[in-house]
């Protein structure tokens, strides 16, 4: 019985060395490799919160903002009180989304409900976004990232 066991282990070691480059014992008793961590969600610094505040203000009435929070951000809705100003509701929503790294989700929800307003504010929502082109005629493109200061552009680059 012991000889058979030794033969099986020897066979496993040869196979493991041949196919994995490690002995069976090393494979069996070593810690599994750590999985790759998931990509980090965008940090709050990636978004211009003042621009997001302006978007929320333009995109929703008080009633629509309340409904958004009730449907998608219940802990925020639970903080609302009778007669609370819309600006205070927006502030609660922004604080919640920032702390829980849900700003991108918030923008996606706003885009689903009011795509025209998101399109109008898109160039200002991410930090480092620069609008290239002639903004007087409505032309141009939004570029995220570093852009040289050469050429005509309106907007803000990273500092």
């Amino acid at each position: 019985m012991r000889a058979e066991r030794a033969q099986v282990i020897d066979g496993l070691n040869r196979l493991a060395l041949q196919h994995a480059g490690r002995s069976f014992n090393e494979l069996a008793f070593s810690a599994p490799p750590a999985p790759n961590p998931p990509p980090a969600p965008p940090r709050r610094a990636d978004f211009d919160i003042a621009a997001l505040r302006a978007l929320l203000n333009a995109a929703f009435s008080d009633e629509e903002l309340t409904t958004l929070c009730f449907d998608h951000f219940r802990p925020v809705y639970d903080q609302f009180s009778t007669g609370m100003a819309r600006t205070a509701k927006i502030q609660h929503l922004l604080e919640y989304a920032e702390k829980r790294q849900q700003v991108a989700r918030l923008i996606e929800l706003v885009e689903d409900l009011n795509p025209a307003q998101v399109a109008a504010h898109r160039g200002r929502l991410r930090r480092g976004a620069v609008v290239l082109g002639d903004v007087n005629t409505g032309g141009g493109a939004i570029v995220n990232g570093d852009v040289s200061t050469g050429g005509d552009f309106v907007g803000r680059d990273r500092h």
Side-chain angles (χ1 to χ4, degrees), residues 18-75:
Q18 181 181 6
H19 293 284
R22 298 172 66 190
S23 74
F24 174 75
N25 287 336
E26 289 174 342
L27 291 172
F29 296 111
S30 65
N36 291 335
R43 300 166 312 202
R44 69 180 183 173
D46 292 342
F47 297 98
D48 186 328
I49 296 302
L52 182 53
R53 181 180 289 108
L55 168 63
L56 292 170
N57 196 42
F60 299 117
S61 67
D62 185 55
E63 183 178 331
E64 291 167 332
L65 181 67
T66 300
T67 301
L68 171 75
C69 292
F70 181 84
D71 291 346
H72 301 284
F73 300 96
R74 187 62 62 93

Side-chain angles (χ1 to χ4, degrees), residues 44-123:
R44 69 180 183 173
D46 292 342
F47 297 98
D48 186 328
I49 296 302
L52 182 53
R53 181 180 289 108
L55 168 63
L56 292 170
N57 196 42
F60 299 117
S61 67
D62 185 55
E63 183 178 331
E64 291 167 332
L65 181 67
T66 300
T67 301
L68 171 75
C69 292
F70 181 84
D71 291 346
H72 301 284
F73 300 96
R74 187 62 62 93
V76 175
Y77 172 82
D78 290 341
Q79 294 178 358
F80 292 172
S81 61
T82 305
M84 179 181 275
R86 184 165 58 122
T87 55
K89 292 178 181 180
I90 289 172
Q91 185 65 31
H92 280 295
L93 179 56
L94 291 173
E95 289 173 5
Y96 179 88
E98 267 194 322
K99 287 178 184 173
R100 288 161 183 80
Q101 297 182 336
Q102 293 188 15
V103 174
R105 175 178 171 247
L106 173 58
I107 293 170
E108 288 173 6
L109 289 167
V110 175
E111 187 166 29
D112 289 344
L113 298 168
N114 196 333
Q117 284 297 334
V118 173
H121 288 81
R122 186 172 307 283

